Amino acid sequence: MRIGLFGGSFDPIHLGHLLAAAEARAALGLDLVLFVVAARPPHKTPVAPAEARYEMVLLATAEEKGFLASRLELDRPGPSYTVDTLREARRLFPEDELFFITGADAYRDILTWKEGHRLHELATLVAVARPGYPLEGMPVPVVPLLVPEVGISSTEIRRRIREGESIRFWVPRPVEVYLEKHGFYR
C-alpha cells in the first residue's frame, strides 16, 4: 500500500487540510491518508488539548473513505518528534510505501527538527504549497504538491472564533458543532 502520513497540530482541522489530503491522495496514488495529530509539537504550542484536536480530526475524516485519524503521536510519551513517528510508522507498515505530508512552511525549518536531515530516509517527504512559502529551495529532498489555494488557516479560524465571527464553511460542520459545544478558542 501507499500510505500518506499527514502531520499537523490541526488546531483546528479545516477544509484546507482536507483539500490538501484529497489532492495528495489523488496526485500520489495513496491508498490511505493517516491524519497524525501532533500531541506535543516541540516547535509550537497548540491552543486546544491534543485529545480535543484528535476528536475534531475524527469528526472531520469520519465520512471520507481512505482518511483516518491517527493516534501515532498521542499514545507516545514525550515530545512529538516526526522522526519517531516515521520510525513507528515504518515498524507498523514495513512493506508499505510511506509519504510524510505537511505544509511547505514547516519544511523550511526541517533542519531544526530532531534528525530532520534523516526524515527523507524514512518516507518520501511531500511539501504542500502554502501562500508565501515557495516550494523551491527546500533544505531536504521533497515532492512538491500544488493544491488550490483556499486562504483558510487554523490561526484565522481561532481569531474568528475569539472575535465572535462565523466559521461556517471554514471547517466541516461536525467540527463547527464540536467547537460550539466545547467553547475552544474563545
Side-chain angles (χ1 to χ4, degrees):
M1 283 194 353
R2 292 169 64 92
I3 300 173
L5 293 104
F6 188 2
S9 56
F10 303 116
D11 194 21
I13 189 167
H14 54 71
L15 295 178
H17 292 128
L18 297 170
L19 177 62
E23 292 291 312
R25 183 173 58 189
L28 302 168
L30 301 177
D31 299 294
L32 180 64
V33 177
L34 297 176
F35 287 73
V36 181
V37 178
R40 291 161 295 284
H43 290 92
K44 64 164 65 170
T45 303
V47 177
E51 285 298 328
R53 292 181 286 114
Y54 174 74
E55 288 174 12
M56 288 186 275
V57 169
L58 273 175
L59 291 168
T61 60
E63 294 183 12
E64 185 64 28
K65 185 178 185 232
F67 284 6
L68 288 175
S70 170
R71 296 190 61 86
L72 268 175
E73 293 188 0
L74 283 96
D75 294 337
R76 189 175 65 230
S80 299
Y81 294 120
T82 301
V83 69
D84 297 335
T85 301
L86 292 179
R87 283 184 179 131
E88 179 65 9
R90 177 62 48 222
R91 188 186 69 73
L92 292 170
F93 308 107
E95 303 300 318
D96 298 313
E97 191 172 356
L98 300 180
F99 297 81
F100 181 72
I101 306 160
T102 197
D105 54 327
Y107 280 119
R108 292 285 168 197
D109 298 324
I110 198 167
L111 295 181
T112 67
W113 299 8
K114 179 182 176 187
E115 298 183 54
H117 63 287
R118 304 199 76 172
L119 297 180
H120 70 278
E121 298 168 8
L122 298 167
T124 299
L125 305 180
V126 180
V128 178
R130 301 257 333 241
Y133 296 94
L135 293 172
E136 300 81 31
M138 291 289 174
V140 292
V142 299
V143 173
L145 180 65
L146 297 173
V147 298
E149 289 187 26
V150 292
I152 297 175
S153 72
S154 296
T155 302
E156 178 63 12
I157 291 168
R158 292 191 304 268
R159 184 203 63 77
R160 291 177 71 88
I161 292 171
R162 196 171 45 252
E163 295 182 11
E165 297 176 21
S166 173
I167 59 166
R168 186 82 167 126
F169 306 114
W170 288 63
V171 298
R173 182 70 180 139
V175 173
E176 182 181 6
V177 170
Y178 182 93
L179 289 169
E180 288 169 359
K181 179 180 178 183
H182 295 281
F184 289 115
Y185 313 122
R186 292 202 167 136

